[in-house]
Amino acid sequence: MTEKPMVLMPEDVQRILGKDAQKNNIMAAKMVAEIVKTTLGPRGMDKMLVSPTNDIIITNDGVTILEEMQIEHPAAKMMVEIARTQEEEVGDGTTTAVMIAGKLLENAEKLLDKKIHPTVITKGYRIAADKSQEILLDLALKITAEDDDILKEIAKTAMTGKGAEDSREKFARIIVKAIKQVENNGKVDLNDIKIEKSKRDGIKDTELIQGIVLDKEKVSYDMPKIVKDAKIALIDFTLEIKNPEIDTKISITSPEQLHDFVIQEELEIKSMVEKIKLSGASVIFCQKGIDDFAQYLLAKEKIYACRRVAKSDMEKIAKATGGKIVSNLNELTPFELGNAGNVEEVKQGENTFTYIKECQNPKALTILIHGGSEHVIDEIKRAIKDGLGDVACTLQSGLIVSGGGAIEIELAKRLREFSQGLSGREQLAVEEFASALEFIPSSLAENAGLDPIDIITELKSRHDSGEKNAGLNLFTNKIENVLEARIIEPLKTKSQALNSASEVSIMILRIDDIISSTGKESLGTGLKQGKEKISPDYGDF
Ligand code: ADP
Ligand code: MG
C-alpha cells in the first residue's frame, strides 16, 4: 500500500519559513522606513501621491503618505499601523515612529546574521524599551499651562517644514488660543476644534473663528443673509410633511379626504414653526430635512435656517453657542437656545458657508484655513493638526523634551551606559536599540544636505561632555543647545513613538512562519511601487 502525501493546505497558499520569513518581513519594514525618511524634519522633502482616480496629494506627513500608498505586504502594513496609532494618540511624530521601527528591525537583522536567536533580541529590545521610557521621563522638563510662549514654540516646531513657514508664528498663536479655549480641566478633545477650508485670500489670512463655520447655505433665498445677536435653536427632527407614499399607511377613498389630510399636515408644520418663533429663535439648525412649506413659513418669520446639518456639527454648534439639541418642540424654550453675535451666509466661489461667529466663550471653535489652492490648504491643514496634537498633549502632561535629535542622542548614550550592566547577548541588542535612535538625527542632517556621520560624531562627543541638550538646529545648521533655540517637542511624541516602534519590531521579529492564503502575491512583491518588485534576494516564493 503506497502512502498518500498528506495535504495540509491548498496549493495556492504561500508559505515562507524561518530565516526567510524574518528577512522578508524585515526587508518590507525597512523599505517603509526608507520611504518616509526623506520627509523627516524641517528640511524634509515632500511626496506627490497620485491616486487611481488621478487625485493628487502633496505632503510631508508620514501617515498620509503611507495610507495613500496602498501597501499590501503584511509586515509593511503593521508599520503603517504604527503611524496610525501615533496619529491617533498624539497627532504628530508619525515619521519618527515608523523610522525607528524600521531601524530597529534593520539592526536586529545584523544580530540575526551573527546567529543571535530572535528571542534574545526581542528580550534585549524589551529591556531597552522599558529603560528608554524611564530615561525619557527623567530627561523631560515640566512646564505649566500658563507657559503660552513654550506652547507656541511647540506648535512651531511641529509645523516646521510643512509649507507653513511664513505664517508659523500666526498659526502657533491660533493653535494655542484654540486649545486653551476648548480645554476642560486639563483635558482637550480635539474634536472641539473644527478645521474648515476657504479658497478665498491667502494662507496668511487663516483665522480663528469664535464659533463654527458650517459648509451649508440657508435653505431659502428669502431668509435673512445676516442675523445679529442670533438666538439659535438646534433640532434633530424633521420639519417636513410626512410623505404619505413612504412614511404612512392610510386609506384615502376620496379627494376630500386627501385634501383634509394635507391640510392637517400643514397645520402641524405651522404649529411647529409657531413654536420655534415663540421660543424666540432667530436661527435654526436642523439635523434632518426642512420642506418647502416650512421653509416658506420660516422665511416669512425672518428666521435663518439650515437643514441636514451633520450630527457632529450640531454637537459643535451646541458647544460653541451654549445651546441644547432638542428632540421635541415642546421642549424648546428660550433656555435651550444658543447665542452668537453673528450668523451669516458667506459665498466663496462655488461654495457657500454659514458662519456662526462671535460666540461668548465658545467651547468649540473653527480654524478657517485660507489659501489659493486645495493642495496647499490640505498640507497646511495637516501641519495645523500636528501643531494642535502637540500642544494638546503638552497641556495634558506638561512634559516636554528637546528636539533636533538631542533627545535621541542623549537617550542612546544613556542606554549604552545602562547596557554595560547586562549579559553579553542582550547587551548587544540594547546597543543596537540605542543606535537605531541615532537614525533620527542622522536623517535630519542628511535631509538638510549635511554629512550625517560628522553630525552624529559631534553630537555624541558633545553629549559625552555633558551637553545633554545639544541638538542639530536646522535654522542655523549648527549643533547647539536646542532647548535654548526653542526646538522643543512634547514628551508624548517620543514616548509613544518608541513604544509602538519597539512593540511592532518585537512582534515582527517573533514571526518565523508566514502563511498567506490571500491568493495575492503580497509577500513577494512587498510594496506596490509601480512594477518594481522588492526582495528578489530572499528565497523562492
Ligand atoms: P514626524 O512625522 O516624526 O513629526 P517631522 O517631519 O515633523 O516628522 O519631523 C520631526 C523632527 O524634526 C523632530 O525630530 C524634530 O525635533 C525635528 N525638528 C523640528 N524643527 C527642527 C529644527 N528647527 N531643527 C532641527 N530639527 C527640527
Ligand atoms: Mg512632525
Side-chain angles (χ1 to χ4, degrees):
M1 208 172 85
T2 52
E3 240 180 72
K4 271 193 193 163
M6 194 162 74
V7 179
L8 207 56
M9 292 179 287
E11 256 175 34
D12 60 350
V13 169
Q14 294 181 73
R15 186 151 184 217
I16 313 175
L17 273 167
K19 272 223 169 64
D20 285 341
Q22 272 150 3
K23 296 237 168 194
N24 180 281
N25 280 338
I26 290 173
M27 174 68 114
K30 250 163 58 180
M31 279 208 64
V32 174
E34 284 296 322
I35 289 165
V36 292
K37 175 183 145 183
T38 57
T39 70
L40 182 80
R43 299 289 177 79
M45 302 294 277
D46 296 345
K47 301 224 178 261
M48 182 188 252
L49 302 152
V50 185
S51 79
T53 51
N54 269 340
D55 287 331
I56 294 172
I57 299 180
I58 298 168
T59 184
N60 180 296
D61 186 50
V63 71
T64 310
I65 296 167
L66 295 176
E67 286 194 329
E68 294 296 324
M69 278 185 49
Q70 305 181 26
I71 284 172
E72 286 198 347
H73 191 288
K77 274 187 168 169
M78 287 167 73
M79 300 279 286
V80 179
E81 206 48 49
I82 306 179
R84 264 193 216 123
T85 315
Q86 183 80 16
E87 176 80 4
E88 277 162 25
E89 294 287 317
V90 193
D92 189 20
T94 53
T95 314
T96 305
V98 170
M99 283 175 63
I100 292 181
K103 203 61 171 182
L104 283 174
L105 286 163
E106 183 180 332
N107 291 358
E109 198 178 20
K110 289 188 215 154
L111 299 173
L112 289 171
D113 289 344
K114 287 186 191 155
K115 306 257 178 301
I116 296 179
H117 198 270
T119 49
V120 178
I121 306 174
T122 52
K123 186 167 173 211
Y125 274 13
R126 213 167 261 137
I127 294 172
D130 290 346
K131 189 69 194 174
S132 303
Q133 297 295 340
E134 211 177 279
I135 301 172
L136 275 179
L137 260 182
D138 187 42
L139 289 171
L141 298 171
K142 184 101 191 134
I143 65 151
T144 59
E146 287 72 47
D147 239 332
D148 280 11
D149 279 349
I150 301 269
L151 292 175
K152 255 173 34 197
E153 295 301 330
I154 284 174
K156 277 161 76 180
T157 304
M159 290 185 289
T160 337
K162 304 230 180 291
E165 303 316 302
D166 299 342
S167 311
R168 272 193 330 147
E169 180 65 40
K170 178 170 185 189
F171 290 173
R173 237 181 300 130
I174 290 182
I175 288 170
V176 172
K177 194 164 176 209
I179 294 270
K180 288 216 143 174
Q181 255 178 283
V182 302
E183 180 214 328
N184 186 5
N185 286 329
K187 290 261 169 294
V188 178
D189 182 353
L190 288 179
N191 288 324
D192 293 340
I193 301 172
K194 190 173 181 201
I195 303 182
E196 260 307 334
K197 305 184 265 185
S198 153
K199 275 203 216 151
R200 199 171 60 175
D201 309 324
I203 295 170
K204 285 197 182 68
D205 303 298
T206 295
E207 52 189 327
L208 180 64
I209 306 278
Q210 297 289 325
I212 300 298
V213 173
L214 263 191
D215 186 8
K216 289 268 168 208
E217 54 191 345
K218 57 187 165 73
V219 283
S220 154
Y221 180 79
D222 298 323
M223 289 175 173
K225 230 174 135 42
I226 301 183
V227 180
K228 295 269 179 206
D229 291 321
K231 301 265 174 268
I232 300 167
L234 296 160
I235 60 175
D236 70 355
F237 50 88
T238 130
L239 288 180
E240 279 172 331
I241 296 180
K242 286 187 204 80
N243 184 342
E245 280 166 28
I246 299 170
D247 290 344
T248 0
K249 220 179 196 173
I250 42 167
S251 349
I252 288 174
T253 45
S254 66
E256 289 76 32
Q257 258 180 333
L258 182 61
H259 183 247
D260 288 350
F261 177 79
V262 173
I263 293 280
Q264 186 56 35
E265 290 279 297
E266 281 186 2
L267 279 176
E268 243 172 69
I269 293 283
K270 260 192 183 150
S271 111
M272 281 174 152
V273 173
E274 195 58 30
K275 281 179 190 158
I276 291 171
K277 187 186 154 200
L278 271 179
S279 75
S282 51
V283 173
I284 72 164
F285 293 109
C286 178
Q287 204 177 311
K288 305 264 168 61
I290 303 177
D291 71 12
D292 291 352
F293 186 56
Q295 286 174 23
Y296 162 76
L297 293 176
L298 288 166
K300 231 172 71 180
E301 300 296 345
K302 303 253 169 301
I303 293 176
Y304 185 113
C306 291
R307 66 177 161 183
R308 304 206 189 286
V309 179
K311 186 159 188 264
S312 57
D313 280 332
M314 291 290 283
E315 282 161 3
K316 287 192 187 87
I317 300 172
K319 279 192 173 172
T321 63
K324 279 204 197 86
I325 302 173
V326 296
S327 315
N328 178 341
L329 268 187
N330 295 326
E331 287 170 16
L332 190 69
T333 71
F335 298 107
E336 272 70 41
L337 301 180
N339 294 290
N342 193 353
V343 172
E344 184 178 357
E345 190 185 67
V346 178
K347 281 206 181 340
Q348 290 175 7
E350 291 163 11
N351 302 323
T352 310
F353 294 94
T354 292
Y355 283 32
I356 306 151
K357 295 197 295 192
E358 297 166 26
C359 301
Q360 285 297 317
N361 192 18
K363 284 292 167 198
L365 356 95
T366 310
I367 296 177
L368 188 63
I369 304 176
H370 293 274
S373 114
E374 190 85 19
H375 300 134
V376 172
I377 299 180
D378 282 344
E379 184 65 348
I380 297 287
K381 181 172 171 180
R382 286 186 281 269
I384 288 189
K385 275 189 156 177
D386 284 355
L388 286 169
D390 278 5
V391 172
C393 70
T394 308
L395 207 60
Q396 284 169 18
S397 78
L399 294 170
I400 55 164
V401 293
S402 48
I407 188 79
E408 284 86 0
I409 294 283
E410 185 64 19
L411 190 51
K413 175 186 158 224
R414 297 207 185 182
L415 274 177
R416 285 201 184 93
E417 285 162 8
F418 160 76
S419 76
Q420 299 305 316
L422 299 172
S423 78
R425 297 189 159 212
E426 275 154 22
Q427 185 180 347
L428 289 180
V430 175
E431 275 168 11
E432 288 302 344
F433 193 104
S435 339
L437 301 173
E438 286 163 5
F439 190 31
I440 300 300
S442 127
S443 306
L444 285 173
E446 197 178 328
N447 289 347
L450 303 170
D451 185 281
I453 298 176
D454 287 352
I455 297 288
I456 294 291
T457 316
E458 191 183 339
L459 277 172
K460 277 169 134 176
S461 91
R462 302 267 291 257
H463 279 251
D464 283 341
S465 56
E467 286 184 56
K468 62 179 181 188
N469 292 315
L472 177 57
N473 180 350
L474 286 175
F475 292 134
T476 58
N477 276 359
K478 290 211 178 76
I479 291 178
E480 55 188 48
N481 185 325
V482 278
L483 219 51
E484 275 165 21
R486 297 280 181 102
I487 301 171
I488 39 182
E489 295 179 84
L491 167 70
K492 185 99 192 276
T493 47
K494 301 295 174 187
S495 58
Q496 177 68 40
L498 271 184
N499 239 336
S500 32
S502 49
E503 265 172 30
V504 166
S505 58
I506 289 171
M507 189 179 264
I508 291 179
L509 281 173
R510 288 168 51 88
I511 299 169
D512 77 339
D513 193 353
I514 313 173
I515 305 159
S516 167
S517 45
T518 56
K520 285 184 278 182
E521 228 194 281
S522 61
L523 299 174
T525 47
L527 307 175
K528 262 198 186 170
Q529 275 198 315
K531 291 200 173 63
E532 210 179 304
K533 283 195 172 193
I534 63 147
S535 162
D537 305 337
Y538 298 109
D540 299 315
F541 33 80

